[in-house]
């Protein structure tokens, strides 16, 4: 196997078919360190999490050269005794677990005890600490995995971990790091992320002598969000109030071109948000325009026995036990919070009964005009019909088939034509009855009752099925009235009433706004009557 490679390999090459060797400790330690310490930000994360596990109320981080020259983390936590400090830098040392059974109910952020050992394996590490109630502290020094000094030292209660010359014995790893600015930004991101997970703790970061972050202890998550991301955003966020999923998300009027405002913790542990991004995207799928993303700061509170945190060396990913997924829980909670009818106080009392919605007429075949109290409602006709059909189809995609007066021949794109017969059963359940008509064409005999353009609707349905896209959105778009289509008054009234009953009636399924409200007072002001 691979003869050309083996022919050039040295005699001690451990390739296929050759003997397995146990790596020397100095090599194994470097590999283990690589699992946890990928860059300076990784070291900062591990050290800050140790501080939080120690009950710190204030964490100070200082870096130089993007963290390569220096990473220093100081806390006012419980501190350690000289004996514990000496053991803490050793391999697999921990105060968090005693047996394998403890892995199923981990409550701390770290538990394998490899962080200090891993950092000390690739740097010059100094650990200075003093246990609460003790008169003196101690200092432990490690260089490239070898402890060479343990001495008494003066230190306030708490711990200071200082790593200098990160990857000093791994020059190749240093070569893969980013610029000083990139590594600094990564550290800022990590500290901000951890600060969001613990609003009650003060976090401070200095980079090359300059203040990069100052986040004093906050009363709650919204106050911490105001500190980290600004008061205007924090004020506009919508609360999530489910006991299992809480936090804040942005309203439909607030969105961003990237996912930079996605932050997730599970039982207080910051996890990679990418695993929850699909659930957040699904919750907003028919509410935001393509390419726009919401802010979502999610807190999942599950029993420790429900979450497996031992699936990633850096504990940045979690898995629910039993193969269960948090996906539907997150989607449902966000949808409930965004629904106007379900927002706290959103229900109208007897004295707040909404004004009657009265049809005024149609404008330019594109807009529906209506009156609601002293408000003029201007409605995007096509978008409103899309929203009505989308919500119906989302609840029940099956539709009553309607026989066409005359069969319609539809020619499909070359790549989609064969897919019709692969999804024949699904199309039939939707209400499409088709038969071959030669080449890339099919003949439509029956279509769903909502469809206005049979050929376009079939193409949209097949495309959505083949691409795994939102079928309800595709059919709603092709089944709704055309932009500019004149409608009789009776049809306008039906559409207006159906739209008023929609759950998310402010936007079309593509996330575009579909309603404009003009107050009578504003109109009168324009005419100089107020």
């Amino acid at each position: 196997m691979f003869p050309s490679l083996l022919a050039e390999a040295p005699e001690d090459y451990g390739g296929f078919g050759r003997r397995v060797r146990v790596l020397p400790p100095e090599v194994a330690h470097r590999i283990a360190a690589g699992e946890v310490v990928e860059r300076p930000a990784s070291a900062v994360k591990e050290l800050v999490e140790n501080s939080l596990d120690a009950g710190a109320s204030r964490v100070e981080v200082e870096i130089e050269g993007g963290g390569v020259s220096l990473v220093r983390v100081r806390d006012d936590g419980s501190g350690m005794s000289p004996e514990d400090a000496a053991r803490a830098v050793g391999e697999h040392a921990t105060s968090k677990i005693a047996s394998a059974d403890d892995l199923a109910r981990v409550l701390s952020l770290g538990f394998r005890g490899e962080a200090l050992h891993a950092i000390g394996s690739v740097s010059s590490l100094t650990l200075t600490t003093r246990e609460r109630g003790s008169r003196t502290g101690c200092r432990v020094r490690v260089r490239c995995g070898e402890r060479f000094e343990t001495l008494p030292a003066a230190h306030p209660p708490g711990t200071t971990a200082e790593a200098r010359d990160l990857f000093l014995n791994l020059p190749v790893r240093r070569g893969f790091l980013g610029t000083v600015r990139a590594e600094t930004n990564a550290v800022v991101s990590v500290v901000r992320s951890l600060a969001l997970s613990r609003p009650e703790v003060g976090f401070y970061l200095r980079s090359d002598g300059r203040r990069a972050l100052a986040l004093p202890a906050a009363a709650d998550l919204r106050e911490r969000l105001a500190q980290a991301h600004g008061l205007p955003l924090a004020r506009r966020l919508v609360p999530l109030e489910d006991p299992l999923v809480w936090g804040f998300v942005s309203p439909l009027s607030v969105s961003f071109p990237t996912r930079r405002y996605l932050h997730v913790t599970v039982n207080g542990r910051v996890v990679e948000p990418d695993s929850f991004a699909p659930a957040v995207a699904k919750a907003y799928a028919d509410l935001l325009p393509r390419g726009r993303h919401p802010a979502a700061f999610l807190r999942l509170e599950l029993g420790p026995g429900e979450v497996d945190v031992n699936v990633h060396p850096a504990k940045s990913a979690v898995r629910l036990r039993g193969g269960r997924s948090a996906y539907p829980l997150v989607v449902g909670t966000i949808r409930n919070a965004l629904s106007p009818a379900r927002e706290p106080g959103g229900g109208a009392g007897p004295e707040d009964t909404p004004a009657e919605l009265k049809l005024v007429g149609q404008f330019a075949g594109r807009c529906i005009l209506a009156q609601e109290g002293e408000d003029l409602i201007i409605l995007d006709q096509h978008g409103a019909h899309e929203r009505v059909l989308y919500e119906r189809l989302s609840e029940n995609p099956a539709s009553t088939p309607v026989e066409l007066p005359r069969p319609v021949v539809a020619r499909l794109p070359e790549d989609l034509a064969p897919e019709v017969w692969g999804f024949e059963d699904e199309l039939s359940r939707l209400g499409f009855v088709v038969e071959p008509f030669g080449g890339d064409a099919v003949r439509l005999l029956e279509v769903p009752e909502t469809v206005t353009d049979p050929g376009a609707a079939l193409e949209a349905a097949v495309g959505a099925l083949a691409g795994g896209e939102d079928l309800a959105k595709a059919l709603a778009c092709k089944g709704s009235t055309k932009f500019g289509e004149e409608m009789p008054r009776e049809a306008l009234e039906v559409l207006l009433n159906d739209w008023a009953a929609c759950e998310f009636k402010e936007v079309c399924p593509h996330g575009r706004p579909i309603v404009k409200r003009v107050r009578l007072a504003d109109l009168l002001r324009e005419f100089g009557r107020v």
Side-chain angles (χ1 to χ4, degrees):
M1 187 178 292
F2 306 117
S4 60
L5 292 176
L6 293 177
E8 299 174 4
E11 291 184 4
D12 61 347
Y13 171 74
F16 298 110
R18 306 210 177 187
R19 63 190 180 89
V20 176
R21 295 185 176 135
V22 176
L23 292 173
E26 63 272 14
V27 178
H29 291 171
R30 295 186 186 185
I31 295 173
E35 291 181 343
V36 175
V37 188
E38 300 172 341
R39 61 192 306 188
S42 307
V44 170
K45 173 183 178 294
E46 297 294 333
L47 294 176
V48 172
E49 287 185 341
N50 281 349
S51 297
L52 296 176
D53 279 343
S57 62
R58 180 185 176 97
V59 179
E60 300 175 8
V61 181
E62 185 175 353
I63 61 171
E64 293 177 3
V68 176
S69 301
L70 170 70
V71 167
R72 181 185 294 125
V73 176
R74 180 183 294 112
D75 69 61
D76 62 352
S78 59
M80 288 182 281
S81 67
E83 296 76 19
D84 281 349
R87 282 192 289 264
V89 297
E91 190 174 19
H92 303 314
T94 178
S95 62
K96 315 291 171 45
I97 61 174
S99 69
D101 292 340
D102 292 337
L103 292 173
R105 47 182 181 270
V106 173
L107 297 175
S108 56
L109 299 179
F111 58 88
R112 295 205 305 168
E114 290 187 352
L116 288 174
H117 174 74
I119 295 169
S121 297
V122 294
S123 70
S124 179
L125 175 67
T126 301
L127 184 68
T128 311
T129 184
R130 178 181 142 199
E131 193 173 24
R132 291 195 178 279
S134 176
R135 292 188 174 183
T136 60
C138 72
R139 177 177 292 114
V140 178
R141 288 180 173 165
V142 178
R143 183 178 175 84
C144 299
E146 295 294 328
R147 188 173 74 239
F148 65 90
E149 185 178 72
T150 303
L151 297 172
H155 194 274
T159 301
T160 298
E162 180 180 287
R164 293 185 177 273
D165 300 324
L166 200 62
F167 304 127
L168 65 93
N169 55 341
L170 294 175
V172 175
R173 173 63 60 83
R174 277 195 176 186
F176 280 92
L177 295 178
T179 63
V180 170
R181 173 176 290 185
E183 296 303 325
T184 299
N185 289 342
V187 171
V188 171
S189 179
V190 162
V191 175
R192 183 186 289 114
S193 183
L194 290 167
L196 288 174
S197 73
R198 296 293 179 91
E200 72 279 5
V201 178
F203 288 80
Y204 303 86
L205 170 63
R206 295 184 69 83
S207 173
D208 294 320
R210 298 180 179 179
R211 187 175 72 179
L213 279 179
L215 304 172
D220 52 29
L221 178 57
R222 194 187 288 270
E223 183 179 338
R224 176 50 53 87
L225 288 169
Q227 294 174 346
H229 295 303
L231 187 58
L233 174 61
R235 277 178 171 169
R236 300 186 70 181
L237 295 174
V238 176
L240 306 178
E241 298 180 343
D242 188 279
L244 298 180
V245 180
W246 63 277
F248 296 93
V249 294
S250 57
L252 305 188
S253 57
V254 177
S255 62
F256 306 91
T258 68
R259 294 192 183 94
R260 62 169 297 197
Y261 294 110
L262 178 56
H263 185 271
V264 184
T265 69
V266 177
N267 291 355
R269 181 188 306 278
V270 178
V271 299
E272 285 292 340
D274 288 351
S275 57
F276 289 86
V280 175
K282 176 65 176 176
Y284 283 85
D286 61 315
L287 304 175
L288 291 180
R290 183 183 294 272
R292 302 295 295 182
H293 305 278
F297 303 93
L298 307 180
R299 304 291 175 263
L300 275 70
E301 300 293 345
L302 308 171
E306 293 294 308
V307 181
D308 183 3
V309 300
N310 193 29
V311 298
H312 190 281
K315 313 300 174 293
S316 59
V318 298
R319 179 172 55 214
L320 300 189
R321 297 195 186 277
R324 296 189 301 110
S325 171
Y327 188 103
L329 183 62
V330 171
V331 174
T333 302
I334 294 176
R335 297 288 289 195
N336 285 343
L338 294 175
S339 173
R342 298 176 189 173
E343 287 181 6
E351 68 283 359
D352 299 318
T353 302
E356 183 182 358
L357 193 62
K358 300 177 181 178
L359 176 67
V360 174
Q362 187 180 30
F363 176 67
R366 292 169 172 81
C367 299
I368 298 175
L369 305 181
Q371 179 183 347
E372 187 178 50
E374 292 194 342
D375 285 354
L376 173 64
I377 306 296
I378 306 172
L379 200 59
D380 177 341
Q381 176 179 301
H382 174 75
H385 198 191
E386 267 193 295
R387 170 52 64 181
V388 169
L389 294 180
Y390 177 80
E391 294 198 2
R392 285 180 183 172
L393 290 166
S394 295
E395 292 182 5
N396 181 19
S399 178
T400 303
V402 174
E403 186 175 354
L404 293 170
R406 268 194 269 173
V408 173
V409 176
R411 296 193 177 278
L412 299 173
E414 185 177 344
D415 59 328
L416 282 184
E419 302 286 356
V420 172
W421 312 114
F423 293 106
E424 191 172 5
D425 290 341
E426 290 85 345
L427 291 171
S428 178
R429 282 194 292 271
L430 292 173
F432 291 97
V433 176
V434 299
E435 63 182 20
F437 197 70
D440 298 331
V442 296
R443 185 160 59 181
L444 279 158
L445 306 178
E446 298 179 14
V447 295
E449 60 182 343
T450 59
V451 164
T452 57
D453 187 335
L458 176 65
E459 182 177 335
V462 175
L465 288 168
E469 299 172 0
D470 192 328
L471 186 60
K473 187 183 294 185
L475 287 176
C477 182
K478 298 304 178 183
S480 55
T481 60
K482 297 293 184 289
F483 198 60
E485 178 182 340
E486 295 288 345
M487 297 176 63
R489 187 174 183 85
E490 295 77 10
L492 290 173
E493 288 181 337
V494 170
L495 177 53
L496 182 64
N497 291 329
D498 288 345
W499 166 79
C502 287
E503 185 175 19
F504 295 99
K505 55 178 176 283
E506 299 293 322
V507 293
C508 78
H510 303 287
R512 292 188 293 267
I514 58 177
V515 60
K516 174 71 175 176
R517 301 173 187 273
V518 182
R519 297 172 60 241
L520 176 61
D522 294 334
L523 279 176
L524 295 178
R525 190 176 293 111
E526 290 292 326
F527 297 138
R529 296 291 184 178
V530 176

